[in-house]
Amino acid sequence: MCGICGAVWTDSRLAIERGTLREMIARLRHRGPDDEGAYTSQLLHVPPAPPQPGVALGHRRLAIIDVDTSRQPLANENGAIRVVFNGEIYNYRELRKRLEGNGHQFHTAGDTETLVHLYEDEGPDFVRHLVGMFAIAIWDAPRRRLVLARDRIGQKPLYYRHEDGRLSFASELKSLLAIPGIPREIDPAALDEYLTYQYVPHPHTIYREISKLPPAHVGVFHDGQWTVTRYWEPQWNVEAQISTADAIQQVRDRLSESVRLRLRSDVPLGAFLSGGIDSSILTAIMQQESGGRIQTFSIGFPEREYDESPFARRVAEHLGTEHHELRVEPNAAELLPKLVWHFDEPFGDSSAVPTYYLAQLTKQHVTVAISGDGGDELFCGYDRYRAIRWAELIDRLPFADKLARWSVWDRLPNSGHQKSQLRRIRRFLELLRLPAARRYAELVGIFNESRRAALFSEEFVAQLPDSDPIDFLAAAFAHCRQRDAVTAASLVDIMTYLPCDLCHKVDIATMAHGLECRQPFLDHRLVELAVSLPSQLKLRGRRGKWLLREAFGSLLPAEVFQRPKQGFGVPLDHWFRGDLRSLLHDVLLSPTALARGYFRPEAVRSLVDEHLNNQFDHSARLWALLVLEMWQREWANRAGEGVT
């Protein structure tokens, strides 16, 4: 687990100087506190041979496997091929045996050297053989090409900028911004997308001229030309014909194998434990496979409705883990600038707050943590999937249109409480009025189309392109149009919410503390299996994750599987009416913020007033706006050199 950066150029005026490379590497120090490395080669042209591009590769290392060697950039035997790599290749031992059988000689015991030898045999297709999480850059000097690759689900980030004569890349935006002259123009369309989803979806970033390499893609820069291609995609539209017994056994086998692979480590390893189904199952498997007492970590909050620590404690006692618990009373006003610095671009998911604190606690004891991310998307754990099923059933009724238009729904009282039953009912009834294609956007979005229209100033609207942020979701739905509504929604989450929000959040929050996080549910072979399964095996009645309950129910106390799902959230609605009230006025309603020109000042004031007066719960919207303003103060007009 590390941070990588670098560039390749065919124009000498765009050369990356050693001082610039050192600064790019330095900005990734938190991702790899154990070591650093660099390689540079200047542009060379000796006719009649074609020009040899200039190259710079940088690396910061968090040593997990083969701690004493495997320094990067790492080269093959003759130095012609070099790699910098962020992540873990879990099947590296199996690949190594195959490569040694083909005559390759190894000089280290880690997973990184596997990459250069596999590339020698397979070229850019090497990535198809990897099981793991990764962002990889390979410089192939004989072929004058740079190959970038990102893992299938998007667990590891990779940013790049392609311009005429140069391609530059880095694990984080802040590293790219160390390059002199990198444009920092904000993309209005990306800002529109951010307010829709609380993140900027790939391939966009908040900056107009910087991009994200999408998950499951390879990019090749060759003789000045840049091409990006997809190398993996599940069969989204194919539903398996499988018995319940076989599905249970296959899920049990594949998840157990995924955990076993992710226990390979030369440093201490533990698990995030919330007491929910996903993390509890993984902890139980880890305890079985490790042969010893594992360490588990959880945090709690003073507000009982957000506090899962008693459930985590119960699971830890049942499994006999060495449990660590932190009672958190977050100082969001103090933490917010740190989050803004680490995330580089606006990121409005407030669960980054507890994730940051949990990573901070965990790093005090171990260097690697197992996390349950992905279980909800793969096995239909979110409440919204039930809403989608009900809406699909209502759509089939002969009087569905009349029911949706019934004006009595508008007279239902509103609730300012985020999790109130009345609020959920009202929101569901509002969904019935929408075409099916837009329902999901309403369920997962922060500012819907009408709210953004009311928020944006006329000047900002004039800058927006003729596109719709919902196109990102619509493109994902187009991949699985032959599946039922619940399955389609879960698959869309795998393509969008999982990589752009959850994986990004976990990567940044954990790497801020030099902690590696491994996510067994995201093994691509388990993902392929889950994608193929019918929703009836996942969502039954009011309960999601039915298959997981059946496969692993014997490992855990019954109450783990019986209690309602509880998200990893924070009490934003309370905070904004309490400790963060002054932050809303001092930051969000400051003259500087209101004068930026993106929003109508009266619309922002209205959101604040409605929330503080308990007329409506705008906490997620206010947090997104607050993060955006703090980001602009840190990054939009400054270089962001300092680490907070």
Side-chain angles (χ1 to χ4, degrees):
M1 187 67 69
C2 310
I4 65 174
C5 60
V8 174
W9 58 92
T10 56
D11 185 336
S12 59
R13 295 169 297 181
L14 299 175
I16 298 295
E17 303 297 335
R18 289 182 180 272
T20 297
L21 182 60
R22 283 196 297 269
E23 178 61 23
M24 294 175 72
I25 296 171
R27 293 191 182 191
L28 299 173
R29 182 180 179 86
H30 53 282
R31 297 187 70 91
D34 296 329
D35 194 11
E36 71 173 58
Y39 169 79
T40 58
S41 177
Q42 297 304 310
L43 189 151
L44 180 65
H45 189 193
V46 181
Q52 184 72 10
V55 61
L57 301 175
H59 184 257
R60 285 291 321 187
R61 186 182 186 199
L62 176 63
I64 303 294
I65 294 174
D66 190 25
V67 173
D68 295 330
T69 59
S70 293
R71 297 191 69 212
Q72 299 183 41
L74 188 148
N76 65 344
E77 295 90 337
N78 62 11
I81 297 172
R82 297 178 185 270
V83 64
V84 285
F85 154 57
N86 168 33
E88 297 289 349
I89 307 303
Y90 301 118
N91 65 331
Y92 75 98
R93 294 176 184 172
E94 293 77 9
L95 290 171
R96 178 175 179 135
K97 289 180 182 179
R98 168 187 146 186
L99 292 165
E100 287 175 331
N102 290 345
H104 291 280
Q105 296 182 352
F106 283 75
H107 302 283
T108 70
D111 55 347
T112 305
E113 192 175 4
T114 302
L115 299 175
V116 292
H117 295 309
L118 189 60
Y119 175 83
E120 286 181 289
D121 283 2
E122 303 287 344
D125 281 342
F126 81 103
V127 70
R128 299 178 186 272
H129 302 274
L130 304 179
V131 176
M133 55 179 181
F134 49 83
I136 302 169
I138 290 182
W139 169 238
D140 183 343
R143 295 172 180 82
R144 306 183 310 281
R145 71 184 179 194
L146 177 76
V147 178
L148 300 182
R150 191 174 176 204
D151 65 70
R152 295 168 179 85
I153 309 300
Q155 295 168 263
K156 294 291 103 185
L158 191 53
Y159 297 86
Y160 70 89
R161 179 172 187 251
H162 177 226
E163 56 193 306
D164 188 16
R166 182 173 68 187
L167 182 88
S168 48
F169 66 91
S171 293
E172 296 185 9
L173 272 172
K174 62 176 64 68
S175 181
L176 276 181
L177 295 179
I179 300 175
I182 286 282
R184 304 165 69 93
E185 181 184 359
I186 293 176
D187 183 353
L191 198 154
D192 194 18
E193 291 173 324
Y194 164 70
L195 291 176
T196 302
Y197 299 112
Q198 76 186 2
Y199 57 79
V200 179
H202 57 256
H204 305 144
T205 72
I206 194 64
Y207 300 111
R208 192 187 294 273
E209 297 191 36
I210 301 177
S211 302
K212 301 181 183 89
L213 187 67
H217 280 70
V218 169
V220 177
F221 183 78
H222 180 237
D223 287 342
Q225 300 299 311
W226 171 245
T227 57
V228 177
T229 56
R230 175 181 283 274
Y231 67 86
W232 174 84
E233 187 167 21
Q235 293 182 299
W236 305 108
N237 279 311
V238 178
E239 186 164 293
Q241 301 299 312
I242 188 172
S243 70
T244 299
D246 284 347
I248 290 172
Q249 189 61 51
Q250 288 189 34
V251 167
R252 185 184 292 139
D253 291 345
R254 293 199 187 184
L255 184 56
S256 298
E257 172 63 15
S258 179
V259 172
R260 279 195 291 273
L261 281 177
R262 283 155 182 79
L263 293 180
R264 292 177 173 178
S265 173
D266 294 334
V267 296
L269 184 148
F272 294 158
L273 179 60
S274 69
I277 292 175
D278 303 330
S279 65
S280 297
I281 288 174
L282 296 182
T283 301
I285 297 172
M286 286 177 66
Q287 189 68 61
Q288 285 186 335
E289 297 292 338
S290 65
R293 192 181 183 202
I294 66 170
Q295 298 190 67
T296 53
F297 305 88
S298 67
I299 60 173
F301 294 100
E303 295 83 2
R304 289 185 60 186
E305 63 186 298
Y306 292 89
D307 185 16
E308 290 189 281
S309 60
F311 303 104
R313 202 177 308 127
R314 173 74 179 92
V315 172
E317 291 171 354
H318 177 82
L319 295 176
T321 71
E322 182 181 339
H323 191 56
H324 307 268
E325 184 180 307
L326 176 67
R327 189 76 170 174
V328 177
E329 295 191 22
N331 185 341
E334 178 182 302
L335 180 58
L336 188 53
K338 296 179 182 179
L339 293 178
V340 167
W341 188 86
H342 279 289
F343 276 90
D344 289 340
E345 60 181 341
F347 183 76
D349 186 344
S350 61
S351 66
V353 173
T355 306
Y356 184 93
Y357 281 116
L358 180 59
Q360 188 177 57
L361 165 68
T362 305
K363 178 60 177 180
Q364 296 172 18
H365 302 272
V366 299
T367 308
V368 178
I370 299 293
S371 175
D373 307 295
D376 287 306
E377 292 78 12
L378 269 60
F379 296 99
C380 295
Y382 292 128
D383 290 344
R384 59 180 177 260
Y385 299 140
R386 294 200 299 272
I388 289 166
R389 172 153 290 173
W390 278 107
E392 183 181 35
L393 292 173
I394 292 173
D395 279 342
R396 298 173 185 172
L397 298 175
F399 52 85
D401 290 343
K402 184 177 180 180
L403 179 67
R405 292 194 300 270
W406 197 16
S407 62
V408 71
W409 308 137
D410 294 326
R411 295 195 290 273
L412 282 176
N414 203 354
S415 172
H417 198 278
Q418 177 73 23
K419 296 188 177 183
S420 74
Q421 193 65 22
L422 179 61
R423 186 176 187 272
R424 290 176 175 175
I425 293 172
R426 183 185 177 99
R427 194 178 186 196
F428 174 74
L429 294 173
E430 289 171 347
L431 292 178
L432 295 180
R433 304 180 180 191
L434 299 174
R438 285 200 169 265
R439 284 181 183 170
Y440 203 58
E442 291 288 330
L443 283 170
V444 301
I446 304 302
F447 285 89
N448 62 18
E449 186 176 14
S450 61
R451 287 192 178 278
R452 296 198 315 279
L455 178 67
F456 291 153
S457 67
E458 292 182 6
E459 295 78 10
F460 181 71
V461 170
Q463 300 176 46
L464 291 174
D466 186 19
S467 61
D468 189 336
I470 306 304
D471 292 345
F472 181 60
L473 281 184
F477 270 110
H479 282 79
C480 48
R481 57 168 57 97
Q482 297 176 30
R483 306 296 290 273
D484 65 272
V486 172
T487 298
S490 68
L491 301 187
V492 166
D493 277 340
I494 293 171
M495 289 182 258
T496 60
Y497 177 65
L498 187 57
C500 297
D501 189 308
L502 294 187
C503 288
H504 183 58
K505 174 193 69 179
V506 170
D507 173 81
I508 296 298
T510 55
M511 294 308 295
H513 302 287
L515 175 72
E516 173 171 297
C517 184
R518 300 178 176 180
Q519 298 154 306
F521 279 107
L522 303 188
D523 187 299
H524 74 274
R525 297 164 301 182
L526 178 60
V527 172
E528 290 170 348
L529 171 62
V531 164
S532 73
L533 297 176
S535 62
Q536 292 82 356
L537 291 177
K538 303 174 184 179
L539 179 62
R540 289 199 176 182
R542 292 180 54 83
R543 287 192 170 186
K545 303 182 187 175
W546 182 86
L547 201 58
L548 289 181
R549 299 169 196 267
E550 293 297 305
F552 299 100
S554 63
L555 300 181
L556 295 161
E559 58 262 35
V560 171
F561 299 99
Q562 293 170 354
R563 73 183 184 92
K565 176 174 173 54
Q566 185 171 346
F568 195 43
V570 290
L572 277 183
D573 49 346
H574 302 298
W575 290 358
F576 280 134
R577 297 184 186 105
D579 295 343
L580 293 186
R581 187 182 186 113
S582 60
L583 200 62
L584 288 179
H585 289 280
D586 296 343
V587 176
L588 201 54
L589 298 181
S590 68
T592 299
L594 295 177
R596 291 195 185 275
Y598 299 128
F599 311 130
R600 303 173 191 266
E602 64 275 15
V604 179
R605 292 192 188 97
S606 178
L607 288 172
V608 173
D609 290 342
E610 288 178 3
H611 186 84
L612 296 182
N613 294 330
N614 212 27
Q615 295 173 269
F616 204 93
D617 182 4
H618 290 303
S619 54
R621 299 181 187 97
L622 292 175
W623 182 261
L625 293 175
L626 188 60
V627 167
L628 177 62
E629 174 58 26
M630 296 291 286
W631 173 83
Q632 289 179 106
R633 296 184 180 193
E634 174 66 37
W635 287 107
N637 300 314
R638 297 170 46 207
E641 297 89 347
V643 178
T644 50

